[in-house]
Amino acid sequence: LMHLTRKLIEIRSMLLGIDQSDALKLPSIVVIGSQSSGKSSLLEAIVGHEFLPKGNNMVTRRPIELTLVYTPAKADGKSPEEYGEFPTLGLGKITNFAQIQQTLTDLNLAVPSSEAVSNDAIDLRIYSPNVPDLTLIDLPGYVQISSMDQPETLKEKIASLCERYIREPNIILAVCAADVDLANSPALRASRKVDPLGLRTIGVITKMDLVPPEQGATILAGNRYPLHLGYVGVVTKSAGNNFSSQSAGTVAKRSENDYFGNHRDYFGASSSLMVGTDTLRRRLMEVLESSMASSLHGITNAVQLELEEATYQFKVQYNDRRITAESYIAETVDTLKSRFKDFTTQFRKPQVREKLKMMLDEKVMDVLEQLYWLDKRMPELGALAADSKVKPQDVEAYWWHKLEAASSLLTKSGVGRDSTLLVADGLRGLIDSIVSGDPFTHHPRAAERIVQFSHVILRERIGVTSDQVENCIKPFKYEVDVDEREWEQGRERAVELFQTEVAMCESKLKEIRKKVGGGRRLRSLLGYVQGLEEQAKERRNRRLAREEDVQEVSEPESYRYPPGQILDARHAMLYSDRLSILKLRLAALKSRRCKAGPESDVLCPEVFLNVVADKLAHTSTMFINIELLDHFFDQLPRGIDSRLIYDLDRKEVEEFARENPVVKHHLDLQERKDKLEEVMKQLNSLSTLRTDTQPAPRRQ
Ligand code: GDP
């Protein structure tokens, strides 16, 4: 039967790891008693070591799940080491009991004083050849009188904490001091509420040495408050002797033996009273064993039911598909990489070149605007182009200079930096979009790490790349060779761009027309604004002529049209000016002159600049590809491997997987099923041991 209890204690803690529902609980012994009733001394006497927190202030603030594990003597006859363990803290074996005491004190003091007591139990196991296999739960002592630093709510908190633990199937160890009237024992009172017949309550009367032996014997006889499992009297502390931790057991035991030995008349074998810590231990073992044994059937059924349910759910919800946190991470990484790979197609050379060309087209338009469109002499250039007798070499130096300036403005506009940043931005966007999708919504920290890592790679490469690109486009700053085919492509592209620009201006004009209330209205507005401008010009001229200050007359425009509309009209004027230039140039671009080929460059600067832009895009792409993209696409997947997988320890892997609620649910159910299976296996192996399930013999 010894073996049975031991096994069941193991099973009990496995069950605690499955869930906390009452259905799946094996009994434990719950120790309750008021403060100073001698509860700690009693537990220490049972264990044979001083290990519980001491202090005037209430020191037990959390329940302690104390599991005692009997370790038999070794084959060589040597006594095995005694040690404690906090399984959830991972501190390993602790052989120094003072250290156990310190750890318990620290854990208790970590409960904020606002909370006072916590429901969160501390798991402590003690392995020793001197302890029986037992599970005991030490609870905070009942507070008798509330004081300033122990508010009323504390009293209730402790009471309700104890109430939860003394429920079935647990055994109640009600600790009462002999020198306090049993009628005043909060432990007995609490026990009577849940176990009125005392079927699962053992009374322990401490401090027997403090009352006359006849009085002690009367208490133990238990006639006043009968308990089925009886009372045991103990002396767990030699009066006035402050024992050291080493001899705690022995000194107390000696004084206990002395005491009961000296009063054999009252407590001798013939009295049939139960006295002494050893008797108590035996009694506890018996009671726990028999309670465990009688719970066995019920718990087996309950576990069986839970297991069936979990198995069914696992089948229905997951079709029995097993996963692990590791497999989930591997899958996540695969998803990430394949998504990454899909996206890299957006960064092949043609795609990058296309993007860069678009950026450079913008630059070309800016250059054209700056140098050509705002030039009052533009119509001349159109006329030159239209005149078939004009040879390019006859064109005025003015236009040659302009062409050179435009080309240089374009090539020196920071193409290396701008194009590198453009691609880098694209890559950042790519990473952001990859990690913002499922399942990374559940893993914000991992997503952040990947993003950070990608930024690091980019930061390292951007400088090098943009310098390299800038170097390689240097030749175009001095000379650009254009062949017929390039010219024609450039011309077509320029026509396209101009058409787009024309369409844009037209739509803007249309918008304004609609806004001010139609074409007629806009025309009259325009007329008015033009009039204003002429007046203003005249005034300016007059002022210049007279070289004196003329008092600026406030413009009367606000009287006829609202200022917003005046502004619209000014914009409309700009757009229509722009339109007429664009249309002129579009005609030129389509003319025979521009179609003729590269020799017309001075007359068709748009085509020339377009070809230059195309060459810049081409060269930039080549070097960005080598210096930035190749590195990025090579390093990022490796970084993902090392940062997502190899960097995590087992616990982090588990945490990562459980960040995803779907995976968490899957893992939880699977784990529950596995644990239940294991418990079931253990329970089944016990059936061979179940020889006797009769309750333990009772006191006569
Ligand atoms: P707890 O508050 O219920 O844990 O009680 P303790 O174990 O700390 O004991 C309270 C006080 O009672 C301490 O001063 C102990 O020394 C004393 N005490 C405990 N057991 C005995 C005993 O058997 N005899 C005597 N005389 N004093 C005891």
Side-chain angles (χ1 to χ4, degrees), residues 39-51:
K39 215 156 54 68
S40 313
S41 310
L42 175 72
L43 284 169
E44 290 177 345
I46 291 174
V47 172
H49 282 280
E50 193 176 338
F51 70 98

Side-chain angles (χ1 to χ4, degrees), residues 1 3-5 7-8 11 292-293 296-297 299-301 304 678-693:
L1 218 62
H3 196 57
L4 182 67
T5 311
K7 269 275 187 212
L8 283 171
I11 292 174
M292 286 270 192
L296 193 53
H297 185 67
I299 205 77
T300 309
N301 282 344
Q304 182 66 40
E678 181 56 29
V679 168
M680 205 55 219
K681 212 165 85 195
Q682 300 274 348
L683 283 170
N684 284 335
S685 77
L686 283 185
S687 58
T688 49
L689 294 167
R690 280 168 63 194
T691 44
D692 176 17
T693 54

Side-chain angles (χ1 to χ4, degrees), residues 485-495 607 610-611:
R485 199 182 51 89
E486 288 169 340
W487 180 268
E488 182 49 25
Q489 275 176 359
R491 193 190 64 83
E492 280 163 15
R493 179 79 183 134
V495 168
V607 181
N610 222 288
V611 175

